[in-house]
């Protein structure tokens, strides 16, 4: 956790979870007060220990001891704040895990450079402004020693702070990786259940029975599309991403089967697979999950059809799936309410881009980031 800056949203959520009944304003005040109290106690402890050990000849002189403790306190507070801000700033702009070399170089520059500036400024104030010496006194060997000693102490403390930051970053990476693996396992299990949904197969076979008797040619096409759907399911199993073209072709086959059941009650608008980039990829069966959700949670009749629109934005980096809202009451156990969270978890495993879910009075909109095949965040 950071030492001086306000905590991140994730840090606040984790802390606030311990006492969710506390009003947010009171929680923030108590948290901030506690952070500064810990900082003050730490600086006072450092002042006492370092001040006592650094000037043993001052023990018998109250005035010298007071000056010694005051200078040590100013050193400790200034250097702790400087290095604390350095750690917080670097944690946000140079992550140990992603850029270890860059972080190490910046750590040395900001920590040692900032500490040297603070120490020099304190000595200049004490010797030149307070004591009245000529500014050239700053270049004398004795004064240089006054600069090097606190810089050495600061380097040791700074190493502790930055080592803690590195260990915390490494620990958070392990926790995040473990959480993502768990989410992926849950998502794969849920996807497998959806892939082999017996209701879908039951409805498909019922529709096929009617087609065989009434429209044999359409029945042959239905069988081919059903075969393509399950072939795609088998091919996509175990893969992190698939081509968006393949996903759209699969959606066409899946929607063909659904249109046989719903007829004019289902109206769909979607881009042609050949119109999208060959480098664009998405998690497999993403569209199937969203289409199935729309059909499951809404009423669709010939008089009031369900409109489903799948479209890429102008940049080709966002895929929007929109359906009008005609909510229907679900039977107990019909919906597990984990499909979208699992899809969001699968995206977190691949990229920092988030799945956006919006619900208005008239529409339900899910926006999926479209990944690039050459991106380092994608594992095929």
């Amino acid at each position: 956790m950071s030492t001086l800056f306000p905590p991140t949203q994730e840090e606040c959520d984790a802390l606030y979870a311990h006492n969710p009944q506390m009003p947010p304003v009171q929680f923030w005040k108590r948290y901030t007060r506690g952070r500064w109290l810990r900082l003050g106690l730490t600086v006072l402890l450092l002042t006492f220990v370092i001040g006592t050990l650094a000037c043993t000849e001052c023990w018998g002189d109250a005035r010298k001891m007071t000056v010694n403790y005051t200078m040590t306190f100013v050193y400790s507070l200034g250097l702790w704040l400087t290095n604390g801000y350095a750690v917080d700033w670097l944690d946000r702009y140079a992550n140990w895990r992603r850029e270890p070399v860059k972080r190490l170089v910046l750590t040395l520059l900001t920590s040692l450079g900032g500490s040297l500036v603070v120490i020099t400024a304190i000595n200049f104030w004490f010797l030149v402004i307070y004591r009245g010496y000529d500014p050239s006194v700053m270049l004398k060997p004795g004064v240089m020693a006054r600069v090097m000693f606190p810089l050495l102490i600061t380097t040791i403390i700074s190493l502790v702070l930055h080592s803690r930051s590195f260990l915390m970053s490494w620990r958070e990476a392990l926790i995040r990786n473990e959480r993502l693996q768990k989410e992926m396992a849950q998502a794969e299990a849920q996807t497998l259940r959806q892939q082999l949904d017996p209701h879908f197969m039951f409805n498909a076979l019922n529709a096929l029975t009617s087609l065989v008797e009434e429209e044999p040619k359409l029945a042959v096409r239905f069988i081919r599309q059903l075969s393509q759907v399950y072939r795609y399911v088998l091919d996509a199993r175990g893969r992190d991403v698939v081509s968006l073209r393949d996903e759209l072709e699969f959606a066409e086959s899946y929607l063909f089967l659904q249109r046989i059941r719903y007829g004019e009650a289902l109206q769909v608008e979607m881009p042609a697979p050949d119109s999208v980039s060959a480098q664009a990829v998405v998690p497999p069966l993403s569209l199937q999950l969203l289409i199935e959700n729309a059909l499951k949670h809404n009423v669709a009749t010939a008089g009031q059809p369900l409109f489903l629109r799948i479209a890429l934005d102008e940049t080709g980096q966002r895929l929007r799936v929109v359906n009008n809202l005609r909510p229907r009451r679900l039977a107990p156990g019909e919906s597990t309410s984990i499909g979208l969270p699992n899809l969001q978890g699968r995206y977190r495993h691949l990229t920092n881009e988030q799945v956006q879910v919006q619900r208005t009075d008239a529409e339900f909109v899910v926006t999926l980031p479209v990944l690039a095949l050459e991106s380092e965040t994608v594992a095929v």
Side-chain angles (χ1 to χ4, degrees), residues 203-270:
N203 292 328
L205 291 177
N206 277 341
L208 180 59
T209 301
S210 301
L211 290 176
V212 168
E213 296 176 353
E214 300 174 4
E215 300 183 64
K217 292 184 178 180
L218 185 58
V220 172
R221 185 181 175 191
F222 185 94
I223 293 172
R224 289 174 179 170
Q225 297 291 344
L226 183 62
S227 174
Q228 289 182 9
V229 165
Y230 275 88
R231 183 182 297 113
Y232 181 84
V233 168
L234 293 175
D235 291 342
R237 184 179 301 176
R239 298 175 62 183
D240 286 339
V241 294
V242 294
S243 166
L244 180 56
R245 289 183 176 181
D246 292 342
E247 185 75 2
L248 288 171
E249 289 178 356
F250 162 75
E252 287 183 342
S253 298
Y254 182 78
L255 285 168
F256 173 83
L257 301 178
Q258 296 291 1
R259 286 195 189 96
I260 297 299
R261 176 186 174 191
Y262 286 93
E264 295 300 318
L266 177 60
Q267 303 291 327
V268 181
E269 177 185 335
M270 61 183 295

Side-chain angles (χ1 to χ4, degrees), residues 5 15 17 101 103-104 123 126 258 265 291 299 332 350 355 364 373:
F5 284 119
L15 292 168
V101 177
R103 176 57 189 268
L104 178 61
N123 277 280
F126 179 72
Q258 296 291 1
I291 295 170
V299 175
L350 298 169
V355 175
F364 187 78
L373 190 61

Side-chain angles (χ1 to χ4, degrees), residues 34-83:
R35 286 160 67 92
W36 284 105
L37 179 61
R38 288 192 297 272
L39 173 62
L41 292 176
T42 301
V43 171
L44 287 175
L45 179 61
L46 287 173
T47 298
F48 176 77
V49 174
I50 297 175
T52 301
L53 298 177
C55 188
T56 54
E57 66 273 11
C58 300
W59 289 0
D61 190 324
R63 180 178 174 279
K64 289 184 177 180
M65 205 64 184
T66 300
V67 173
N68 175 52
Y69 278 137
T70 301
M71 288 294 295
T72 305
F73 176 79
V74 174
Y75 273 128
S76 301
L77 181 61
L79 293 173
W80 190 279
L81 289 173
T82 299
N83 284 278

Side-chain angles (χ1 to χ4, degrees), residues 143-378:
V143 176
M144 296 300 294
R146 292 169 60 97
V147 173
M148 296 309 297
F149 177 73
L151 184 61
L152 175 62
I153 299 298
T154 302
T155 301
I156 296 174
I157 297 175
S158 178
L159 286 175
V160 174
L161 288 175
H162 288 281
S163 297
R164 176 181 178 274
S165 174
F166 169 76
L167 292 175
M168 290 294 290
S169 177
W170 177 64
R171 175 177 174 272
E172 290 173 2
L174 290 178
I175 293 175
R176 181 174 180 271
N177 184 61
E178 183 178 349
R179 184 176 68 248
L180 289 176
Q181 288 180 351
K182 181 179 179 181
E183 290 175 348
M184 283 297 295
Q186 293 175 342
E188 290 173 359
Q190 174 64 10
T191 301
L192 181 61
R193 286 194 294 270
Q194 291 175 338
Q195 291 168 2
L196 304 179
D197 186 354
H199 294 288
F200 171 72
M201 178 58 74
F202 177 78
N203 292 328
L205 291 177
N206 277 341
L208 180 59
T209 301
S210 301
L211 290 176
V212 168
E213 296 176 353
E214 300 174 4
E215 300 183 64
K217 292 184 178 180
L218 185 58
V220 172
R221 185 181 175 191
F222 185 94
I223 293 172
R224 289 174 179 170
Q225 297 291 344
L226 183 62
S227 174
Q228 289 182 9
V229 165
Y230 275 88
R231 183 182 297 113
Y232 181 84
V233 168
L234 293 175
D235 291 342
R237 184 179 301 176
R239 298 175 62 183
D240 286 339
V241 294
V242 294
S243 166
L244 180 56
R245 289 183 176 181
D246 292 342
E247 185 75 2
L248 288 171
E249 289 178 356
F250 162 75
E252 287 183 342
S253 298
Y254 182 78
L255 285 168
F256 173 83
L257 301 178
Q258 296 291 1
R259 286 195 189 96
I260 297 299
R261 176 186 174 191
Y262 286 93
E264 295 300 318
L266 177 60
Q267 303 291 327
V268 181
E269 177 185 335
M270 61 183 295
D274 293 341
S275 66
V276 303
S277 170
Q279 301 299 316
V281 295
V282 293
L285 302 174
S286 301
L287 290 179
Q288 185 264 347
L289 183 148
L290 298 178
I291 295 170
E292 186 177 45
N293 271 359
L295 294 173
K296 181 184 296 183
H297 292 276
N298 294 276
V299 175
T301 63
Q304 294 180 311
L306 177 67
F307 291 97
L308 186 65
R309 185 172 71 256
I310 302 172
L312 279 169
D313 67 1
E314 294 180 355
T315 65
Q317 298 178 349
R318 297 286 187 277
L319 183 68
R320 299 178 77 245
V321 181
V322 185
N323 65 267
N324 59 325
L325 285 177
R326 292 183 43 76
R328 73 179 183 89
R329 184 174 299 177
L330 299 178
E334 187 175 354
S335 176
T336 59
S337 300
I338 62 175
L340 276 176
N342 277 342
L343 179 60
Q344 292 169 326
R346 292 163 67 191
Y347 262 97
R348 282 195 295 271
H349 179 69
L350 298 169
T351 178
N352 291 327
E353 298 287 336
Q354 296 183 351
V355 175
Q356 299 176 6
V357 180
Q358 296 175 310
R359 182 188 178 104
T360 66
D361 293 337
E363 293 182 330
F364 187 78
V365 184
V366 179
T367 303
L368 302 178
V370 176
L371 309 177
L373 190 61
E374 67 273 14
S375 172
E376 294 180 359
T377 60
V378 178

